[in-house]
Amino acid sequence: MLCGDMQGARSVLEEGLAALPQSPELMLALAGASLQSGRAAEAEALLEALLARSPDHAAASFLLARLLREQGRMTAVAHALLSLFRNAHPDLEQRLDAIELLDDCGRQAEAASLCEAAIAAGAGDPRLYAHAGALAAQLGQFERARERQEFALAHDARAPEWHVPLGLAGLQRYRDGQHPDFARFAALLERGDLSAAARGSLLFALGKAHDDIGRYDLAARYLRQANAVVGAQVRWPRKLWRRSVEMRLERVMPAPLPASPTDWVPVFIVGMPRAGSTLLAEQLARYPDVRHRGELPWMPTLAARLAPLLADKDCAAAMQAAAATYAAQLRQDDTPARWYIDKQPHNFMHVDLILALFPQARIIHCRRDARDNALSLWMQSFHPGTQDFAFDFTDIDTAIRGSRRLMAHWQRRYPQAVYEVRYEDLVQDIEGSVGALAGWLGLPGTAPAAGTMDNRAISTASLWQARQPVHTRSLERWRQYAQWLPELANIADR
C-alpha cells in the first residue's frame, strides 16, 4: 500500500482474510485498500460485515462514516456514528471527532446529542462545552448555548482561541452597556498571550456589542482594529479576482448535458454574502417539498476539477460525473423533495457551469445596497480563506463590482433561469417578495407554515438574526457610520 500498489495489497489482504476470516484488522485493511482503489461498494460491504460482528469497532465506524459522507448519504453517516456510541464507550477524542464530522455533514442535532449525553454523564472537558454551545446556537437553543459557552470560557484559558466570546456576542441583541459581556470581553482583550485570530475575534465581539447599543463611534473603533488585526494575517489577491471575473465573462461552455431530470430542481441562491441569502433561504424552506442544504462547498470544488477539461469537446463524461457527484451531495438520503436549495453565495462565479450541468436549475441573485452590504461584510468575522476581501473596504468594493458584472452577464445570457431579489424589497414586503419568487419557482401555492424552522440548524453568521422577526433596521445603516468610516462614501451603488 505504501508503494501505491493497491491491486497487490488487495491480493495479499484477500489471501490473509481467506486464512483468517475472523480478523477485524484484515477486514479493515482490505476495506481501506478497496476504498483507495475506487471500489467503494466493496469497502462498504466489508465495513458493514465487520460492524455486524464488532459493533464497537471505532475505526471501522469512522471509515464507514467518511465513505458515506463522500456519497452524500448523511443520514447513514449519522446512523453509523450514533450506533458506535450506543454499542461502545469511545474516548473523548473520538467523541469530539464524531461531533465535528456530524457537524460537517449538516447533522447538528445528532452532534448536539453526543455533546449533551456526555455532559449529562459528567464529562467536564471545556472543549465539549464549546462544541455544545456552538451547536445549540445553530439549532436556535440560545439559552443553552450561552450556558455551555460560559462554562467553556470560565474553565479554559483557551476559550478565546475557540472564538467563544464571539459566539456569546452573537446570541442576542444587547440592550445597554451594563451587560457583563462588555466588561468580560474588555478584560480578555488585556491578555498578552492571545493569538492574532483570538484578539481579532474579541474585537469583532466588542464591535458587535457596541453596535447593538448604538455606540457607533466605539463600534467603528473596535471593528477597525479587528479588521486590521485579522486582515494582516490574510491577503486577498485583487488582481487574480479581476482576472477570474474577466475569464468567466469570456468563457464559452460546452453544450448542456442532455439528460436533465424533471422530478427535482436545484435552486442556487447566490450573490455577495450578507445580502439576505439566509433570510430568503429560510423563507423558501418553509414551503412544502423544499429542502434547504445550507452552503454546500461542492460546486466550487467541481468547477476547479472541471476547469482544465472544459475546452475539450469530449468532456461530456467528466461533466456527467460532476453532475452525479453534486446531485448526490444535494439530494442526500433523507426524505426526497422536489426543490433543493444551495445558498453558497460564491456560486455566482459558476452560473454557466451550473446551467450546463443542470439545465433545469434556478438561480436567485440576492442584491443589497452596496454601502450597506460593504458595512455588513466589514463588521463580520469570517474564517480565513472564506471571505478574505472583507477586511478592507477597497477589496470589498472590488468584489461587489465583480459580482454585479458577472450577474448582469448571466442575467442577459440566461434570462429565463436567473431571478433577482433586492434585500430592501425583501425586508419591506417579505410576503409579497417571497410570494412572487415562489410563483417563479413553481412552489406550491399554499402559504408557508409559520414556525417550521425552529428545529432546523442555521450555520451562517446570521444564525440569531434569521430566527427573529423580519425588520428594516438595516436599511441605510451605513449612514450611522458615515462619520467614522469615510471610506463608505467612496462605494457607489452601481
Side-chain angles (χ1 to χ4, degrees), residues 68 72-77 107 293 328 331-336:
L68 296 167
R73 297 161 60 188
M74 307 310 182
T75 301
V77 169
R107 309 298 297 205
R293 295 302 191 200
R331 301 189 72 185
Q332 301 185 14
D333 58 344
D334 50 6
T335 305

Side-chain angles (χ1 to χ4, degrees), residues 155-209:
H155 290 82
D156 200 308
R158 298 170 295 174
E161 303 292 341
W162 307 334
H163 308 292
V164 169
L166 185 63
L168 283 171
L171 294 176
Q172 63 179 327
R173 181 177 177 85
Y174 294 104
R175 298 182 181 276
D176 58 66
Q178 300 307 308
H179 193 285
D181 282 354
F182 285 77
R184 177 186 294 163
F185 297 164
L188 287 170
L189 199 59
E190 296 300 316
R191 284 176 44 180
D193 60 339
L194 296 178
S195 68
R199 183 168 298 278
S201 179
L202 268 168
L203 287 164
F204 274 114
L206 281 163
K208 187 269 181 190

Side-chain angles (χ1 to χ4, degrees), residues 47-129:
L47 292 169
E48 293 283 9
L50 171 52
L51 289 169
R53 191 181 306 162
S54 304
D56 59 345
H57 200 295
S61 297
F62 276 98
L63 184 57
L64 177 60
R66 293 187 171 94
L67 181 160
L68 296 167
R69 178 181 60 176
E70 290 302 306
Q71 297 177 355
R73 297 161 60 188
M74 307 310 182
T75 301
V77 169
H79 175 75
L81 292 176
L82 295 181
S83 293
L84 170 65
F85 285 85
R86 281 195 297 269
N87 291 292
H89 299 285
D91 61 29
L92 178 62
E93 298 304 324
Q94 290 174 325
R95 184 177 289 267
L96 292 173
D97 287 344
I99 290 165
E100 291 178 358
L101 181 53
L102 287 166
D103 191 11
D104 288 343
C105 291
R107 309 298 297 205
Q108 285 82 9
E110 291 87 343
S113 72
L114 290 184
C115 292
E116 296 301 330
I119 290 171
D125 193 296
R127 294 173 299 168
L128 193 63
Y129 279 78

Side-chain angles (χ1 to χ4, degrees), residues 333-407:
D333 58 344
D334 50 6
T335 305
R338 178 162 174 76
W339 292 269
Y340 291 90
I341 297 174
D342 178 351
K343 64 168 288 290
Q344 171 57 250
H346 289 288
N347 280 335
F348 67 79
M349 296 290 288
H350 312 296
V351 169
D352 54 348
L353 177 60
I354 288 169
L355 292 170
L357 298 178
F358 303 103
Q360 84 279 23
R362 289 293 174 263
I363 315 296
I364 303 169
H365 174 214
C366 288
R367 177 169 173 155
R368 185 179 184 182
D369 178 273
R371 287 159 295 195
D372 280 339
N373 203 167
L375 176 62
S376 186
L377 284 162
W378 190 79
M379 294 179 71
Q380 184 61 48
S381 175
F382 292 104
H383 292 297
T386 55
Q387 322 293 348
D388 289 347
F389 58 84
F391 307 108
D392 178 272
F393 279 117
T394 301
D395 288 344
I396 293 172
D397 187 37
T398 301
I400 291 175
R401 290 191 195 191
S403 73
R404 292 191 175 181
R405 282 190 69 199
L406 270 177
M407 287 311 306

Side-chain angles (χ1 to χ4, degrees), residues 13 95 107 141-142 170 226 235 248 288 304 353 414 448:
L13 289 166
R95 184 177 289 267
R107 309 298 297 205
Q141 302 164 1
F142 298 122
R235 285 293 181 270
R248 298 303 193 282
L353 177 60
Y414 309 107

Side-chain angles (χ1 to χ4, degrees), residues 73-317:
R73 297 161 60 188
M74 307 310 182
T75 301
V77 169
H79 175 75
L81 292 176
L82 295 181
S83 293
L84 170 65
F85 285 85
R86 281 195 297 269
N87 291 292
H89 299 285
D91 61 29
L92 178 62
E93 298 304 324
Q94 290 174 325
R95 184 177 289 267
L96 292 173
D97 287 344
I99 290 165
E100 291 178 358
L101 181 53
L102 287 166
D103 191 11
D104 288 343
C105 291
R107 309 298 297 205
Q108 285 82 9
E110 291 87 343
S113 72
L114 290 184
C115 292
E116 296 301 330
I119 290 171
D125 193 296
R127 294 173 299 168
L128 193 63
Y129 279 78
H131 277 295
L135 290 162
Q138 292 181 59
L139 293 166
Q141 302 164 1
F142 298 122
E143 290 187 13
R144 173 175 287 180
R146 172 165 285 277
E147 291 175 6
R148 299 301 186 232
Q149 290 180 342
E150 285 187 335
F151 181 97
L153 195 60
H155 290 82
D156 200 308
R158 298 170 295 174
E161 303 292 341
W162 307 334
H163 308 292
V164 169
L166 185 63
L168 283 171
L171 294 176
Q172 63 179 327
R173 181 177 177 85
Y174 294 104
R175 298 182 181 276
D176 58 66
Q178 300 307 308
H179 193 285
D181 282 354
F182 285 77
R184 177 186 294 163
F185 297 164
L188 287 170
L189 199 59
E190 296 300 316
R191 284 176 44 180
D193 60 339
L194 296 178
S195 68
R199 183 168 298 278
S201 179
L202 268 168
L203 287 164
F204 274 114
L206 281 163
K208 187 269 181 190
H210 285 87
D211 175 78
D212 281 354
I213 63 172
R215 288 300 308 271
Y216 305 121
D217 54 337
L218 293 178
R221 184 191 306 172
Y222 282 121
L223 291 166
R224 195 177 288 283
Q225 293 177 48
N227 280 286
V229 168
V230 181
Q233 310 301 311
V234 299
R235 285 293 181 270
W236 186 62
R238 196 182 302 168
K239 290 183 179 179
L240 179 60
W241 164 256
R242 287 173 173 151
R243 285 200 298 269
S244 298
V245 170
E246 294 298 330
M247 288 174 60
R248 298 303 193 282
L249 292 170
E250 297 171 2
R251 184 166 67 181
V252 178
M253 289 296 298
L257 294 178
S260 177
T262 58
D263 60 336
W264 64 279
V265 179
V267 178
F268 295 84
I269 301 180
V270 304
M272 290 299 294
R274 311 297 295 169
S277 59
T278 299
L279 171 60
L280 187 58
E282 291 299 330
Q283 293 294 322
L284 291 176
R286 298 173 188 264
Y287 279 82
D289 222 10
V290 174
R291 192 80 73 249
H292 176 21
R293 295 302 191 200
E295 297 181 6
L296 296 179
W298 280 92
M299 191 54 66
T301 299
L302 294 171
R305 291 181 192 173
L306 286 172
L309 307 175
L310 294 178
D312 188 343
K313 294 182 179 179
D314 298 323
C315 65

